[in-house]
Amino acid sequence: MGKPIYRRVRMDSAQHWRIRLTALMLGVLGFLTVAARLYRLMVVDYDYYAAKALNNQTRSTAAASNRGYVYDRNMNILAASQSVENVYLDPHELKQSQADLTRIAAFLSPLLERDARWILEQGQDLRRRYKQVGSRIPEDTAAKIRDYIQEENISGIHLEPAALRTYPFETLAAQVIGFTNLSGQGSEGIEAAYDSFLSGKTGKVITTKGNNEMDMPFSYENFTASQTGCSVVLTLDATIQEILEKQLRAAIDRYDVRNGAFGLVMNCKTGEILAMATLGSYDPNDYQLVWDEDVRAALEKAQSTYTQYPQGSAEYLQGKQSYETALTQARLKQWRNRVLSDGYEPGSTFKALTMAAALDCGAIDLNTSFYCKGAEQIPGRSQLLHCWRAAGHGSEKTPQALQNSCNLAFAHIALKLGGERFYDYVKTFGILEKTGIDLSGESKGVFFDKALVTNTDKWGTASLTSGSFGQTFKITPLQLVRAIASVVNGGNLLEPYIVSEVIDKDGNTVLKQEPTVVRRTISPRTSETMRTLIRSVVTEGTAKNASVAGFSIGGKTGTSEKIDVFDENCQRVLDKIVSFVGIAPMEDPEYIVLAALDTPSRSTGIYISGGVMAAPTVGAVMTDILPYLGVRRNYTEDDLPGRQILLPDCAGLSAKEAQELLKDSGLSSRCVGSGETVTGQIPAAGMSLPGGSEVLLYFGETPEERLVTVPDFLGKTRQQAADLAGTLGLYILASGNPDTAAGVTAISQDMAAGTQVRAGTTITIRFADGSAED
């Protein structure tokens, strides 16, 4: 082969120019690409990348805001925030400072009540800069941790301010106030409804950090102060709330009530809520704990059952799911405010509305006659309609129909009223709408469709007649109370409210609530007539057990069946809700009280009805709250045994002077010994005793102080109780049903049997008629 021949190719000037031009164009194109990219980074997306750069160079720490207070109407603190701190570890700082994590975990473990191994794991987790190991620790614990950090010169343990919500009255009004969750957000009740006012505004502390994400000393820092939340002042009165809850608890114990109780105290004239209670309750300081001991025991049993199986097994997973579902349901139930969230059949308490409507439109008058023979076949109704009194009430007129709470009379009142007008009045009374109260979770109940009560077929007639006495539909307790309030306050349907005002940290009013009249329900004249009739239910009818000496109280009893509740065998239960709505003073109604007891037990042997159980409960509430609210007593001669008289000091007076002084006070006297002036008396001066009681006046001698044991008066008649007290030298202040019939017996006493007291002490006993029905 010959050698290869290489030829030199010469490029002319044109070729050189084209290469240079191409290179130049490529260079310009590359520059333009880079320039466009720089323009996008530096101009178009400047804010985005600047924020990212700032985020990489700075550390932002939240500065917790102080949540506002919740006060009652007298500025008692119902909810407050306590300064506490959270503890967190920074694993990067701990590693770089070569801290002894094992020693740190051992130190923190008992203080934070955490497992030392778990704390060690958090400190070794380099995936994050913030590992919280303690939350809401008190100041004394935080001080110990700070001293440890300083003494050991540790970098990587941090404390940050936080707030712990506290509720000084614990379970009182729990469903009304609500609670805050672990994030500090309002949950349930006022805490949720007014969270935007209470929560305030969180602040920030922004500092620079280096490449290793450690804070850079003597560098940039910016602080945005947090804003304290506003405080909320309620219309609620803690004293009245406590009285209501106390009497509901007493009723639950007395009648072995199986499913709790609920109640309400409202101002008839303004719509202000003075008390609102749901029992059983819970403590918002520990809101996740199930407070019902029986339910908690059942949950613990369920938990121990499934944990016996291997983790991951079908039995374990199924049992765990059932347990967690039951736990959630138990918590939701105890948090629920039944007064505004749960519908129930109001029973005969609704008759006050039916009668008011019929009188207002002229369908009946006070002389309209009815006849009750215990049961009747109403034309157009397939089922026989029974009255609660099997023997019937016989002939009666309109006032007696309400006093006797006669079902048959009210069925005929409804027929005279007619379905169209009945439905329209129900709507006017606000039964078909929410009340508008400033709390979340309100329901509007379930009522018939208009067509169902206006049709003339058997279902229309059945719904109309049953509806007239509060059966086969459900409304909320709050709907019922505000409707009846309008019946007695002149006919004004009010919007109930529970927050009177919201104030900022400087005391300035941010929000002010005023009474709001929604509409007129009945005429003032009809309202005046209804006040007289409702008063007569207590003086002459089924609600005598609600009587309180010196106060004019009216109201309406109710006993309703749970027609939509079935047992495990799909049989309708026989459970009942007994209730009473009381109003006082009836000359100028100002306060309305509802008490309802859900499922009293039949095992007590006490007749289950609103008149027997709920009326005395409301009477007891009225006995305590009316004097507190400044309502003046107006005693009649019949009220004398129930009148409390403060015993004057007769020492040094002659027999005639002492006897006249005691007589003027409504007391009698008996002289013991001989002498010119009184040297002693039983009871002692300053003690209270019932009107008409006898006082022992001693002359020439000093009475010996004698201790006696309080007996058990429960179940005794007035005469039996008086005789027993007399033999021991005790006095009885009688309250409740004023009748002296054999069926009227003692149901409660203010001093427990077995208590040692001085002779001459007064025992307050409440009497009730156990045979009163409905």
Side-chain angles (χ1 to χ4, degrees), residues 85-89 104-115 118-119 131-138 141-142 145 157-159:
E85 298 195 55
N86 295 332
V87 183
Y88 71 93
L89 304 179
I104 290 173
F107 171 78
L108 293 177
S109 176
L111 293 176
L112 304 179
E113 297 181 353
R114 293 278 195 172
D115 182 69
W118 179 83
I119 296 175
K131 300 291 290 188
Q132 184 168 310
V133 292
S135 62
R136 299 180 177 182
I137 64 170
T141 302
I145 296 175
I157 304 177
H158 300 276
L159 293 97

Side-chain angles (χ1 to χ4, degrees), residues 371-375 387-394 408 773:
Y371 185 82
C372 171
K373 56 185 178 181
C387 187
W388 62 264
R389 186 175 184 182
H393 294 103
L408 295 185
E773 300 179 358

Side-chain angles (χ1 to χ4, degrees), residues 648-650 653-672 678 693-697 699:
D649 188 354
C650 298
L653 300 180
S654 67
K656 184 178 179 181
E657 291 172 333
Q659 287 172 338
E660 288 180 354
L661 176 62
L662 293 174
K663 184 178 179 181
D664 291 341
S665 299
L667 301 168
S668 62
S669 60
R670 179 159 57 93
C671 297
V672 179
V678 176
S693 298
E694 183 180 73
V695 179
L696 297 180
L697 298 175
F699 294 84

Side-chain angles (χ1 to χ4, degrees), residues 621-643:
V621 173
M622 292 287 197
T623 299
D624 290 341
I625 72 170
L626 293 180
Y628 170 77
L629 289 166
V631 179
R632 293 185 62 183
R633 290 181 184 263
N634 183 21
Y635 290 104
T636 64
E637 289 186 10
D638 294 336
D639 291 331
L640 193 59
R643 180 181 178 182

Side-chain angles (χ1 to χ4, degrees), residues 374-378 381 383-387 407-408 411 465 469:
E376 183 180 346
Q377 186 65 63
I378 302 290
R381 180 184 172 111
Q383 291 181 320
L384 191 68
L385 181 61
H386 293 271
C387 187
N407 290 349
L408 295 185
T465 53
F469 47 83

Side-chain angles (χ1 to χ4, degrees), residues 712-721 724 744-747 767:
D712 186 357
F713 291 105
L714 301 185
K716 290 181 170 49
T717 65
R718 281 177 177 260
Q719 189 59 53
Q720 290 170 337
L724 178 58
V744 178
T745 58
I747 62 169
F767 292 89

Side-chain angles (χ1 to χ4, degrees), residues 238-449:
T239 299
I240 298 176
Q241 180 76 27
E242 189 171 359
I243 290 169
L244 176 62
E245 292 190 14
K246 178 185 73 174
Q247 296 301 341
L248 289 176
R249 281 194 298 270
I252 289 173
D253 293 339
R254 184 182 306 130
Y255 307 118
D256 191 18
V257 178
R258 300 296 177 84
N259 199 30
F262 50 89
L264 175 68
V265 181
M266 189 178 86
N267 188 309
C268 292
K269 297 179 178 179
T270 64
E272 294 171 282
I273 304 298
L274 302 180
M276 182 183 285
T278 299
L279 300 180
S281 193
Y282 71 99
D283 187 346
N285 292 296
D286 192 4
Y287 62 88
Q288 295 198 46
L289 176 67
V290 175
W291 281 77
D292 186 297
E293 293 182 359
D294 293 336
V295 175
R296 190 166 68 245
L299 287 168
E300 290 172 354
K301 182 178 180 181
Q303 186 179 35
S304 64
T305 299
Y306 82 78
T307 52
Q308 294 175 1
Y309 296 100
Q311 287 193 24
S313 66
E315 293 84 357
Y316 179 92
L317 295 175
Q318 184 178 357
K320 183 180 180 182
Q321 183 178 5
S322 298
Y323 163 77
E324 291 176 346
T325 300
L327 177 61
T328 299
Q329 290 175 345
R331 286 172 175 167
L332 292 174
K333 182 180 179 181
Q334 69 181 15
W335 299 341
R336 192 172 180 85
N337 187 339
R338 296 183 66 180
V339 175
L340 56 91
S341 297
D342 286 7
Y344 79 114
E345 292 191 9
S348 294
T349 54
F350 195 80
K351 290 173 181 173
L353 304 182
T354 302
M355 180 163 282
L359 286 170
D360 192 63
C361 70
I364 62 170
D365 59 31
L366 294 180
N367 291 314
T368 303
S369 297
F370 306 95
Y371 185 82
C372 171
K373 56 185 178 181
E376 183 180 346
Q377 186 65 63
I378 302 290
R381 180 184 172 111
S382 60
Q383 291 181 320
L384 191 68
L385 181 61
H386 293 271
C387 187
W388 62 264
R389 186 175 184 182
H393 294 103
S395 296
E396 52 190 350
K397 291 189 176 181
T398 298
Q400 290 75 44
L402 189 65
Q403 292 165 12
N404 297 330
S405 194
C406 179
N407 290 349
L408 295 185
F410 272 87
H412 284 283
I413 290 174
L415 292 172
K416 291 177 182 293
L417 184 60
E420 190 84 28
R421 288 190 297 191
F422 177 73
Y423 187 89
D424 289 344
Y425 270 100
V426 165
K427 184 177 181 180
T428 301
F429 281 125
I431 301 303
L432 308 182
E433 65 192 24
K434 295 180 180 181
T435 68
I437 189 171
D438 49 338
L439 280 171
S440 56
E442 184 182 11
S443 168
K444 66 174 183 178
V446 179
F447 199 75
F448 314 116
D449 289 334

